[in-house]
Amino acid sequence: MVRLYLAGPQVFLSDWKEQADKMKAICAQYGLEGVFPFDKEVNTCGLAPQEIGLSIFHKDEGLIRSCDAAVCCMTPMRGPSMDPGTAVEMGIMRGLGKPVFAYSNDHRSFCHRTSELLGDAVETMPDGQLRDEYGLCLEHDTGFADNLMCDGMVLACGSKGVARPEHPIADDEESLKAEMFRNLEHFKTVIQEVATSMNVTKEDLGRYMKPGSHPPDAACADVHIDFMKHALNEASAAVENGNHPFGAALVVEGEVVLCAQNTVCTDHDVTCHAEMNLVRLAQSRFDGATLRCATLYSSTSPCAMCSGAIYWARIGKVVYGCEPSVLGEIAGDELFFPLRESMSGGVLHKVDVVGPVLGEEAAAAHRAFWPSLDVEC
């Protein structure tokens, strides 16, 4: 199912676990998987303070890369602006080309909050601009929930904008403090928007609620279809050449630069999977900088061996067709590899994973091949 990275200052709450469970339960109601920063632990034994901080950063970045979108809490923390760590996480997700959604439990605009905080230190200039005691102008009151770059990230993804209340969420100071980072009304509003915009329908849920499966990356699928067809063509060619129906293609700067197919039978080598053959070719022709910006298209989600080769080759993204769980049902093999989770856990290199794309077409090749296979090569 679609994975959502749940970013926000809730990680600093004493009851963060209870809050995380509530947020995940709301996601589940709409067929989404909520991923909380603390879902993955960091071994800090023997590490210096800065090393601990860097380890946490790498862990969180890996979780972000493993998700399809982010839902971020922009409620101001310890000042007029949002948690800076959450702002960085929003930027990482946006930089990956994935959707960013957001909400806030504060009804006031960023400019309003900043003016309130600075009070008499704000001076209105002859041109109407507001400046603080350092001579720095305040951001024009756009009505945004926070800095225009933060709200801009949300709007640029096609979202309706930062969901927030029209009035204070509580009548008295004590209730406001208790509710500011725990009230989930506007979080739920955003989750409903995510479910709609990423096309999570009842039909999708019925098809993709099997263990180890994910719905199509609806935000990106159209971009990948043409390239995936190259991988599927290679899979068909592999069968025609006496091998198994697996194919792969490498795309650099929007062009298919390499293709490869499974040659396990004709080469009498069980390591000659399509992705392995492609990685060997790629490393002989391209430098590391090029591969880090490349995307590997695989007709079926790569196995553990091929995933390891992709990781060590530093290839930046993998887009796959057929889910491993679907292949298992067809071919009778239960050796599934959690590609998305495993690729996000690397320390030296993070691999983005998208899929399934053209999953039904990819599965059709396996349905036509495996049931008719009499003898293994």
Side-chain angles (χ1 to χ4, degrees), residues 110-330:
F110 177 52
C111 182
H112 186 177
R113 293 196 303 269
T114 306
S115 298
E116 280 188 349
L117 177 71
L118 295 177
D120 294 339
V122 176
E123 182 180 359
T124 303
M125 308 306 291
D127 61 1
Q129 279 194 331
L130 301 177
R131 292 188 178 273
D132 63 17
E133 57 189 313
Y134 298 100
L136 300 174
C137 70
L138 273 63
E139 186 176 296
H140 179 70
D141 193 359
T142 57
F144 284 162
D146 213 289
N147 181 283
L148 64 87
M149 295 299 288
C150 297
D151 281 63
M153 278 190 282
V154 179
L155 291 168
C157 296
S159 168
K160 299 175 182 177
V162 180
R164 68 183 205 260
E166 295 182 1
H167 307 285
I169 59 172
D171 296 327
D172 60 90
E173 190 70 19
E174 287 303 311
S175 298
L176 191 63
K177 288 179 180 179
E179 287 292 303
M180 189 59 80
F181 297 104
R182 293 182 174 86
N183 188 297
L184 296 177
E185 177 183 349
H186 294 283
F187 171 79
K188 186 172 182 178
T189 298
V190 173
I191 294 302
Q192 291 171 336
E193 181 187 357
V194 174
T196 301
S197 65
M198 298 193 77
N199 300 321
V200 182
T201 66
K202 289 183 178 180
E203 180 182 359
D204 290 328
L205 296 180
R207 290 173 58 195
Y208 295 103
M209 288 296 284
K210 299 176 182 178
S213 66
H214 301 269
D217 190 331
C220 304
D222 290 346
V223 177
H224 301 302
I225 287 175
D226 287 343
F227 296 133
M228 180 57 71
K229 287 179 180 178
H230 286 270
L232 296 179
N233 288 339
E234 290 295 317
S236 297
V239 174
E240 292 175 3
N241 293 329
N243 293 290
H244 298 165
F246 298 92
L250 190 73
V251 173
V252 176
E253 296 182 350
E255 294 186 6
V256 177
V257 294
L258 288 175
C259 289
Q261 57 189 249
N262 179 288
T263 58
V264 165
C265 297
T266 53
D267 285 345
H268 303 288
D269 185 344
V270 294
T271 69
C272 287
H273 289 194
E275 300 90 341
M276 290 291 292
N277 290 338
L278 189 68
V279 169
R280 292 188 185 103
L281 284 171
Q283 287 210 294
S284 69
R285 300 188 187 185
F286 301 106
D287 58 23
T290 300
L291 293 180
R292 277 191 289 273
C293 298
T295 300
L296 187 150
Y297 288 81
S298 177
S299 62
T300 301
S301 182
C303 69
M305 174 183 68
C306 295
S307 298
I310 292 167
Y311 174 83
W312 290 114
R314 301 290 198 270
I315 292 172
K317 179 182 285 186
V318 174
V319 181
Y320 68 87
C322 182
E323 289 278 12
S325 56
V326 175
L327 173 62
E329 291 178 359
I330 298 169

Side-chain angles (χ1 to χ4, degrees), residues 26-37:
I26 292 173
C27 291
Q29 289 175 13
Y30 293 90
L32 304 162
E33 179 186 358
V35 177
F36 203 70

